[in-house]
Amino acid sequence: MRFVKLLFLFFLAALPLFSHAQQRPRPRPATPPAQQPGQRIELLPGTEKLIGGTFNGVEIRKLIGNVSFKQGTTLLYCDSAYQYLEKNALEAFSNVRIIQNDTITITGDRATYDGDTRKARMTGNVVMRDPRMTLTTTVLDYDLSRNLAYYSTGGHLVDPENTLDSQYGYYNTTSKVFSFKRNVKLVTKENNIDTDTLQYNTVSKIAYFFGPTRITGKQGNLYAENGTYNTRTKVSNFQRNAKIETPNYLLGGDKLVYDEARQYGVATGHVSMTSKKDNIVLRGDVGKYWRGLGRTKVYGSSPVMRNISDGDTLYLAADTLVSVEGRPPKNVAGVLYAYPKVKIFRKDLQGRCDSLTYDRQDSIIYLNKRPVLWSDKNQLTADSMEIRQRKGKVDQMRLYANSFIIGQDTILNYNQVKGRNMVAYFVDNKIKKVDVLGNAESLYYALEADTAVTGLNKAVSANMALRFADNKLQTISFLTNPDASFIPPHELKPEDQKLKGFTWRATERPTRRLVLGKHFALPAKAKPKPKAKAKPKTAVKAKAGKAKATPAAKPKTAPIKAKTPPAAAPKPKVPAPQAAK
């Protein structure tokens, strides 16, 4: 009975507890925090003085003298610190040092560290070291979870081979890759590199560029807007607007690979080589450069050379162009080689040959293998030729072996001169005299008022001298053993109208557009056509007709023909009735 009474009293006492438990709702699952609490920061033994207390409602430990903390593999040392127990954070002062995984060391005057986010900020004389580099700055943020260090107040990086400065920088301590921005300057033993955006791998020693970049060195300068540079092997791989610049030359292209150790570079895509000394530009699809040899080779899509001198522009195209820098004291301006399928264009001179050598020091162009030149209405051929220039203008043309000059008159007859060798003299790019040296032969048509043939002058002599005015033949001098004849029109036979070896190659004459190809735009002088169209068409045609009629209106042919001696008795000098232009 006593036991039952006790059990009833216990039930009455516990009843309110059961009632409260039934009325309380079930607890909802806890929402996970945005940031899981990190490992607690552990204070290591050895601190000389510890003062605990609550300040502004926050529990703080003040630690003074030989303070050291640990969180996982991260150690922090300082002279004094505040430890915030509730926040799992701390502030460190004086001689602060953070060590991570025994490889990364960061020192500074002051630091803050959040143990939950594992983010540290070091300020004042900050130095970050790992086995491959040393970084100094004023403020450094370091995310230990992501192994990423960041500065924005300017930093200076030093490794055993290079130094680097920039305004902003990121360093991944795992990949060992730095990313730099704003006023980036990388200094190697041989070069200075200036850019705006750069990545640098401290293991491979390769720098990656993502903006306009200049490399300045003793051997020359390089420029590009994207690419890489291996500071160890000295090999550059540049993209977009890549250029190599030396004291004498500038070589560029869409892409450029340059090996400083071998002094060898390859440019591709819109390649351009400029010779600063003599205003020569080479353009093509591929360019190779041997800095030690002073040699540049350009090829692909018929590369073109442009040479501007005293207002005259010479264009030269071939399958391959090779430029060799001059070496003092000779050939200071260097030599250009072109081969094969050479084409030449200048407003007063066009030509073709298989191979060509341009000695820029002496201003002599050598043409080899079936060369042919056109000047106005004259065609010149020989086994080989020389074009000698003075002050940018043609001074002489020398023709060697099987020399032949053909010119068309106003009614399209072919006047001809041939011989073993010839020397043509020019004044203001106009032919003034031709010396025919050895086995000289000539065939010239006599015209009446430039419209009708009155006969054919044929002559043979050991040597001849032809004199011109306004590109028209004035006199022929037979210098040794002359034999001349005059054939009337009714006695002309087809075999009389051409000298042996005659070949008219006008269809091969290169045009400006053919020579320039895709590498050069037409000169600006060829573009004032819209203004000309505004004038009445009839006036333009009348001008053109008048211009054509002007040479024929000159009363030179009648006096010359009257002075022509009989064929049986030639005189030392025989004027020609009509000159080929």
Side-chain angles (χ1 to χ4, degrees):
M1 190 69 182
R2 181 183 177 87
F3 172 77
V4 173
K5 186 177 180 179
L6 290 173
L7 182 61
F8 178 75
L9 293 173
F10 173 77
F11 176 77
L12 291 176
L15 186 61
L17 297 176
F18 285 108
S19 176
H20 179 73
Q22 289 177 358
Q23 292 177 2
R24 189 172 59 182
R26 292 184 180 181
R28 295 180 180 180
T31 302
Q35 175 67 47
Q36 294 292 342
Q39 184 177 357
R40 299 300 297 177
I41 300 174
E42 179 184 354
L43 176 64
L44 299 179
T47 301
E48 296 177 1
K49 188 175 181 180
L50 186 152
I51 303 173
T54 300
F55 301 90
N56 296 326
V58 179
E59 186 178 357
I60 298 176
R61 280 179 177 175
K62 291 185 178 181
L63 307 149
I64 302 173
N66 295 322
V67 183
S68 58
F69 297 94
K70 180 180 180 181
Q71 186 187 45
T73 58
T74 303
L75 298 172
L76 187 148
Y77 302 91
C78 59
D79 290 347
S80 62
Y82 292 162
Q83 183 180 13
Y84 302 91
L85 299 177
E86 295 180 0
K87 295 182 179 180
N88 195 27
L90 58 85
E91 291 184 69
F93 308 95
S94 183
N95 296 317
V96 183
R97 179 162 47 105
I98 298 176
I99 301 175
Q100 185 184 22
N101 298 325
D102 294 328
T103 56
I104 304 296
T105 302
I106 306 173
T107 61
D109 296 337
R110 180 172 177 173
T112 59
Y113 180 66
D114 188 321
D116 291 339
T117 62
R118 302 199 70 210
K119 292 182 179 180
R121 165 167 282 199
M122 188 79 75
T123 59
N125 300 311
V126 181
V127 179
M128 181 178 188
R129 294 184 177 89
D130 72 8
R132 293 176 178 83
M133 67 86 206
T134 300
L135 170 68
T136 58
T137 184
T138 56
V139 179
L140 181 72
D141 291 289
Y142 186 33
D143 188 332
L144 283 77
S145 297
R146 300 167 59 195
N147 296 316
L148 183 66
Y150 168 76
Y151 64 85
S152 60
T153 56
H156 179 72
L157 172 76
V158 178
D159 68 17
E161 300 174 6
N162 312 294
T163 64
L164 194 149
D165 294 271
S166 70
Q167 182 65 33
Y168 300 95
Y170 299 83
Y171 181 48
N172 190 312
T173 59
T174 302
S175 64
K176 309 301 180 185
V177 173
F178 261 105
S179 297
F180 301 98
K181 280 191 174 185
R182 192 78 61 85
N183 302 324
V184 184
K185 187 176 186 65
L186 174 61
V187 179
T188 71
K189 294 179 180 178
E190 290 82 14
N191 300 297
N192 293 337
I193 303 174
D194 294 278
T195 184
D196 189 67
T197 304
L198 178 146
Q199 281 188 354
Y200 179 62
N201 191 312
T202 59
V203 178
S204 66
K205 308 299 182 184
I206 296 177
Y208 301 82
F209 310 110
F210 303 96
T213 302
R214 290 173 176 81
I215 299 181
T216 307
K218 297 178 181 178
Q219 296 183 3
N221 303 328
L222 290 88
Y223 172 86
E225 296 173 3
N226 188 283
T228 65
Y229 176 68
N230 191 317
T231 62
R232 183 173 291 159
T233 63
K234 309 299 184 294
V235 174
S236 307
N237 191 335
F238 282 174
Q239 315 286 327
R240 283 209 306 267
N241 257 351
K243 296 180 180 67
I244 300 175
E245 184 175 10
T246 71
N248 298 328
Y249 287 88
L250 177 64
L251 174 66
D254 292 341
K255 299 180 181 179
L256 172 65
V257 178
Y258 184 64
D259 187 332
E260 287 184 34
R262 297 168 56 200
Q263 296 188 353
Y264 171 70
V266 178
T268 56
H270 297 94
V271 174
S272 177
M273 192 281 287
T274 302
S275 174
K276 300 177 182 178
K277 289 185 177 180
D278 40 19
N279 200 14
I280 283 181
V281 178
L282 305 183
R283 291 185 181 175
D285 284 347
V286 182
K288 295 184 177 181
Y289 179 57
W290 293 265
R291 176 72 179 88
L293 301 176
R295 181 184 178 93
T296 303
K297 180 179 180 180
V298 181
Y299 56 94
S301 297
S302 192
V304 182
M305 178 209 77
R306 182 185 67 188
N307 182 203
I308 301 176
S309 180
D310 290 338
D312 289 327
T313 303
L314 172 66
Y315 295 98
L316 187 154
D319 286 356
T320 302
L321 301 177
V322 177
S323 176
V324 180
E325 297 180 21
R327 303 297 177 89
K330 292 185 177 181
N331 292 329
V332 176
V335 179
L336 176 76
Y337 302 94
Y339 59 89
K341 301 178 183 179
V342 180
K343 299 181 288 291
I344 300 171
F345 185 89
R346 202 163 80 171
K347 63 181 180 181
D348 53 3
L349 182 70
Q350 300 83 44
R352 284 182 182 267
C353 63
D354 184 72
S355 61
L356 175 149
T357 302
Y358 183 12
D359 185 337
R360 303 200 299 273
Q361 174 66 20
D362 297 328
S363 296
I364 301 176
I365 301 175
Y366 302 90
L367 296 86
N368 303 301
K369 294 186 180 181
R370 297 190 75 241
V372 54
L373 292 173
W374 292 271
S375 176
D376 200 2
K377 292 186 177 181
N378 298 310
Q379 174 185 287
L380 296 80
T381 58
D383 289 353
S384 62
M385 296 185 189
E386 292 179 11
I387 302 175
R388 294 174 175 255
Q389 303 177 87
R390 179 179 295 177
K391 295 182 179 180
K393 299 182 182 296
V394 177
D395 183 56
Q396 293 182 24
M397 287 187 190
R398 299 194 176 193
L399 287 64
Y400 299 106
N402 297 313
S403 305
F404 211 122
I405 298 180
I406 305 172
Q408 279 190 313
D409 61 20
T410 55
I411 56 175
L412 305 182
N413 292 310
Y414 296 109
N415 296 316
Q416 304 155 52
V417 178
K418 64 177 291 188
R420 185 184 301 118
N421 302 318
M422 293 186 191
V423 180
Y425 300 90
F426 291 77
V427 176
D428 293 330
N429 290 327
K430 293 183 178 180
I431 190 169
K432 289 298 180 181
K433 179 184 176 184
V434 175
D435 290 336
V436 186
L437 309 174
N439 303 327
E441 297 181 50
S442 66
L443 186 156
Y444 270 82
Y445 287 86
L447 303 182
E448 179 67 34
D450 288 346
T451 59
V453 176
T454 60
L456 181 67
N457 287 305
K458 295 189 70 173
V460 177
S461 179
N463 301 310
M464 291 184 186
L466 294 77
R467 298 184 182 276
F468 295 78
D470 295 326
N471 276 339
K472 299 181 98 178
L473 181 65
Q474 298 297 300
T475 62
I476 302 178
S477 300
F478 306 108
L479 304 180
T480 310
N481 300 324
D483 182 11
S485 62
F486 182 82
I487 304 174
H490 63 277
E491 296 182 8
L492 283 177
K493 300 177 182 180
E495 58 268 23
D496 295 328
Q497 299 179 30
K498 293 181 181 179
L499 297 178
K500 186 178 179 181
F502 174 94
T503 304
W504 183 243
R505 300 168 59 181
T507 57
E508 301 177 36
R509 191 169 188 169
T511 62
R512 185 193 301 269
R513 183 71 273 167
L514 178 65
V515 176
L516 269 60
K518 68 177 185 179
H519 302 297
F520 285 97
L522 288 173
K525 291 183 179 179
K527 295 184 179 179
K529 291 183 179 179
K531 293 183 180 179
K533 287 181 180 178
K535 297 180 181 180
K537 292 184 178 180
T538 53
V540 174
K541 289 183 178 179
K543 277 190 174 182
K546 187 176 181 182
K548 288 184 178 179
T550 301
K554 294 181 180 180
K556 290 185 178 180
T557 54
I560 295 173
K561 187 176 73 170
K563 294 181 181 179
T564 303
K571 295 183 179 180
K573 288 190 177 182
V574 178
Q578 174 62 32
K581 290 184 179 180

